[in-house]
Amino acid sequence: MTNDNEMYKLTEMETDVIGEVMNISMGAAATAMSTILDKKVNITTPRIETIGIEEFEFSYLEPVIGVLIKYVEGIDGTNILLLREEDLKKILGHLLSMDPAEMVELDEISMSAICEIMNQMMGSAAGALASFLGQVVNISPPEILNTTENVRELFSLTGDSLVSIKFNLSIEGLVDSEFISAMDPQLAREIVKKSFGASEME
């Protein structure tokens, strides 16, 4: 039997399909964020790799905020967005008319504002994914993981490997950064499989 890492390594074709799907989803997320912030938002073409959990490196984003997205209808699985805390403070500062430098810690109001932004972004992304797959896709309300330990712990529960998808994020006059979307390889496979199902029906 092949080990999990071999078994779950995406092929080049699967990687291309996930790239296309994530491009469409994040395009919709960028539009939603642009509407919320009233600024131009650009999320660039994804860079994808399947790696072992122990090789997954995101220290360059730290301090990091993890946003846990669970797909509850249409597809089954978990996606985690990893964003720089500093970037989220700039976004919140703009929304709440506050100086990001004054936000020493993200309080409950800030956290619920982040959840609401992510809910709108990822809700739009799920809607775009649903149109692409030709079926309903729903997510549960996003959960915030505000420590690196929480993020790592969550990944270690899902298996030995994950699909890391890196995007550049630029928000006009506010943020020029990047974030990571990480998902279980089984979820990636399911999306690929359903994408082929959708194209066969056309």
Side-chain angles (χ1 to χ4, degrees):
M1 187 178 160
T2 55
N3 70 34
D4 280 356
N5 281 352
E6 283 302 311
M7 195 162 71
Y8 287 132
K9 199 153 181 70
L10 298 181
T11 64
E12 200 174 321
M13 185 183 66
E14 286 170 332
T15 301
D16 287 347
V17 173
I18 283 293
E20 186 185 347
V21 170
M22 292 308 279
N23 231 349
I24 292 166
S25 298
M26 287 302 168
T31 304
M33 191 184 245
S34 178
T35 305
I36 296 166
L37 299 177
D38 196 22
K39 279 184 173 290
K40 196 173 173 200
V41 176
N42 193 24
I43 298 177
T44 60
T45 313
R47 304 180 298 285
I48 304 166
E49 56 179 342
T50 315
I51 47 176
I53 282 171
E54 67 289 342
E55 301 164 59
F56 183 47
E57 182 51 60
F58 55 89
S59 59
Y60 67 96
L61 292 178
E62 288 175 349
V64 72
I65 299 278
V67 183
L68 174 64
I69 313 287
K70 287 181 183 158
Y71 292 96
V72 291
E73 189 180 356
I75 50 178
D76 180 30
T78 302
N79 183 9
I80 297 180
L81 299 181
L82 299 171
L83 301 108
R84 283 193 171 103
E85 187 178 299
E86 185 191 338
D87 296 339
L88 287 171
K89 282 180 177 175
K90 287 176 186 170
I91 291 166
L92 286 174
H94 172 70
L95 268 181
L96 308 171
S97 303
M98 286 173 66
D99 180 354
E102 288 171 16
M103 298 182 192
V104 183
E105 274 189 25
L106 292 171
D107 57 16
E108 215 168 299
I109 294 168
S110 304
M111 287 297 191
S112 66
I114 290 169
C115 272
E116 186 45 44
I117 294 166
M118 290 299 149
N119 203 12
Q120 300 221 22
M121 277 181 69
M122 296 314 289
S124 295
L129 181 57
S131 299
F132 182 78
L133 298 179
Q135 66 173 88
V136 174
V137 175
N138 275 320
I139 58 168
S140 61
E143 295 169 44
I144 302 286
L145 308 164
N146 60 350
T147 73
T148 300
E149 288 71 34
N150 288 351
V151 171
R152 286 211 179 276
E153 198 175 296
L154 200 79
F155 279 124
S156 61
L157 300 176
T158 60
D160 298 331
S161 57
L162 57 84
V163 179
S164 161
I165 309 167
K166 294 177 179 173
F167 297 88
N168 286 5
L169 167 68
S170 98
I171 304 171
E172 180 191 5
L174 202 62
V175 169
D176 192 2
S177 188
E178 72 173 275
F179 69 95
I180 301 174
S181 166
M183 65 173 77
D184 185 323
Q186 281 154 307
L187 172 60
R189 282 260 153 85
E190 191 182 346
I191 292 171
V192 169
K193 200 169 140 195
K194 294 204 157 145
S195 301
F196 284 121
S199 59
E200 279 162 17
M201 284 157 58
E202 283 171 9

